[in-house]
């Protein structure tokens, strides 16, 4: 658990940055922008980490390498990196301060590599800096679009909220309780194959879910969704893609999904019913 201590410190620093940042702007705008930032970070990790195996996190929480990767990714991509970007944007930092902070990220990555709690395969630390530098301008543009209150920004924000929540929830219950896993045949490692399919599945599925939350949310729609989700999981199970442990049941996926969507609906009402008025 010594390795995890370093990742926990990253998470704590992220929480501290959040604490000092959100009071400097409209809270609804802050939450909407943070969700978008976190979503982008997870999308990047899906391609770079999971699909192309660019680097590896070693927090040593799980013996399984790929589930261990998800813990390190969560500390970095859900807390530290988004909160750092939000600090830069919120405080409208000058270029020299931004460069200094990005150099700090470079040093952290190099130190983590040096003490063997993070490992590069074909990735380089300066790739991270370039991506973060570009991300600053992307997020500034997105912040301005959020202020315009156009339907596309609302849809994409809710989409990001759903896909990150469902990816996180389903991978957590896979990793800790071994409730289920997927075998699609993309990779030889069982856990990597399961995480890759799980992530891709929710990336696609969440497009429909975001539309339901924004345009068709009702008791009838949730009932139909519950039946449909159950049917999809049964089909995946019979096709040999989804494997469920005996103490879990396909209907439980639907129940978890409805609970998450109810919370996302509340979030949507809070963020966009009165945003920036």
């Amino acid at each position: 658990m010594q390795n995890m201590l370093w990742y926990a410190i990253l998470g704590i620093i992220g929480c501290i940055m959040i604490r000092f940042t959100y009071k400097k702007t409209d809270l609804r705008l802050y939450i909407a922008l943070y969700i978008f930032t976190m979503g982008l970070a997870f999308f990047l990790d899906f391609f770079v980490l999971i699909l192309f195996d660019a680097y590896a996190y070693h927090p040593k929480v799980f013996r399984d390498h790929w589930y261990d990767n998800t813990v390190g990714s969560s500390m970095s991509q859900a807390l530290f990196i988004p909160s750092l970007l939000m600090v830069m944007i919120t405080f409208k930092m000058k270029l020299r301060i931004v460069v200094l902070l990005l150099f700090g990220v470079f040093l952290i990555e190099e130190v983590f590599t040096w003490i063997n709690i993070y490992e590069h395969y074909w990735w380089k630390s300066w790739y991270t800096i370039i991506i973060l530098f570009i991300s600053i301008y992307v997020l500034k543009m997105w912040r301005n679009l959020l202020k315009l209150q156009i339907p596309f920004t609302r849809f994409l924000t809710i989409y990001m909220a759903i896909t990150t929540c469902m990816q996180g929830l389903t991978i957590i219950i896979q990793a800790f309780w071994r409730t289920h896993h997927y075998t699609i045949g993309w990779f030889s490692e069982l856990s990597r194959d399961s995480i890759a399919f799980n992530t891709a599945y929710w990336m696609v599925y969440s497009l429909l879910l975001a539309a339901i939350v924004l345009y068709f949310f009702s008791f009838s729609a949730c009932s139909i969704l519950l039946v449909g989700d159950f049917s999809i999981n049964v089909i995946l199970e019979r096709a040999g893609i989804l494997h469920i442990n005996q103490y879990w049941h396909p209907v439980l996926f639907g129940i978890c999904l409805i609970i998450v969507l109810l919370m996302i609906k509340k979030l949507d009402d809070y963020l966009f019913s009165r945003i920036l008025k």
Side-chain angles (χ1 to χ4, degrees):
M1 294 302 289
Q2 183 179 358
N3 287 16
M4 185 57 201
L5 176 62
W6 290 97
Y7 286 94
I9 291 172
L10 272 188
I12 292 170
I13 293 172
C15 291
I16 292 172
M17 287 190 288
I18 291 172
R19 174 68 177 80
F20 284 101
T21 308
Y22 78 86
K23 289 187 176 183
K24 299 296 181 179
T25 187
D26 183 283
L27 181 58
R28 289 162 293 177
L29 176 62
Y30 181 88
I31 294 172
L33 189 58
Y34 193 96
I35 289 171
F36 180 76
T37 308
M38 183 171 58
L40 285 182
F42 275 119
F43 266 74
L44 177 66
D45 249 17
F46 171 65
F47 289 100
V48 177
L49 172 64
I50 299 174
L51 296 187
F52 296 108
D53 198 19
Y55 44 74
Y57 300 99
H58 300 304
K60 298 297 183 182
V61 174
F62 295 105
R63 292 183 179 178
D64 186 285
H65 166 66
W66 286 98
Y67 285 125
D68 208 41
N69 258 331
T70 62
V71 176
S73 177
S74 296
M75 288 295 173
S76 174
Q77 310 302 344
L79 278 174
F80 182 73
I81 294 300
S83 59
L84 178 64
L85 289 171
M86 292 296 292
V87 165
M88 296 177 183
I89 295 169
T90 302
F91 290 96
K92 300 178 181 179
M93 292 181 172
K94 295 182 179 180
L95 181 59
R96 63 176 180 272
I97 303 299
V98 169
V99 171
L100 183 63
L101 289 174
L102 292 181
F103 181 68
V105 174
F106 177 88
L107 289 179
I108 289 172
E109 196 161 320
E110 287 296 304
V111 169
F112 272 40
T113 304
W114 179 62
I115 62 177
N116 296 318
I117 65 172
Y118 176 69
E119 182 178 4
H120 286 155
Y121 296 140
W122 57 265
W123 193 258
K124 304 293 182 183
S125 296
W126 60 268
Y127 295 174
T128 304
I129 305 310
I130 292 174
I131 290 173
L132 291 179
F133 192 78
I134 295 172
S135 298
I136 293 169
Y137 292 94
V138 172
L139 294 176
K140 286 181 178 179
M141 178 189 69
W142 190 255
R143 180 183 59 185
N144 293 333
L145 289 174
L146 281 170
K147 291 178 180 179
L148 296 177
Q149 304 183 51
I150 60 179
F152 175 70
T153 57
R154 181 183 184 185
F155 181 89
L156 193 54
T157 301
I158 295 305
Y159 166 76
M160 289 293 199
I162 295 172
T163 189
T164 52
C165 282
M166 291 309 302
Q167 285 176 45
L169 176 61
T170 50
I171 289 176
I172 284 171
I173 63 175
Q174 285 181 59
F176 281 97
W177 295 287
R178 297 293 193 268
T179 55
H180 66 290
H181 68 273
Y182 300 96
T183 53
I184 194 69
W186 292 347
F187 302 103
S188 58
E189 304 101 320
L190 178 63
S191 54
R192 184 184 185 187
D193 204 39
S194 184
I195 292 170
F197 180 80
N198 182 86
T199 305
Y201 175 79
W202 287 110
M203 283 181 175
V204 175
Y205 194 5
S206 295
L207 291 168
L208 171 63
L209 298 174
I212 291 174
V213 168
L214 293 177
Y215 309 119
F216 310 107
F217 200 79
S218 65
F219 178 80
S220 298
C222 289
S223 299
I224 294 171
L225 179 62
L226 190 61
V227 173
D229 187 79
F230 173 79
S231 301
I232 290 171
N233 284 303
V234 169
I235 291 170
L236 290 175
E237 187 178 21
R238 291 183 178 178
I241 296 174
L242 172 61
H243 309 271
I244 302 176
N245 284 342
Q246 60 183 1
Y247 56 84
W248 194 254
H249 193 277
V251 75
L252 295 176
F253 291 116
I255 293 173
C256 291
L257 176 59
I258 295 300
I259 292 172
V260 169
L261 292 188
L262 287 170
M263 292 189 294
I264 298 295
K265 181 60 178 175
K266 292 290 185 181
L267 178 67
D268 172 61
D269 291 339
Y270 174 71
L271 292 183
F272 295 103
S273 61
R274 302 168 297 161
I275 190 167
L276 300 181
K277 291 183 178 178

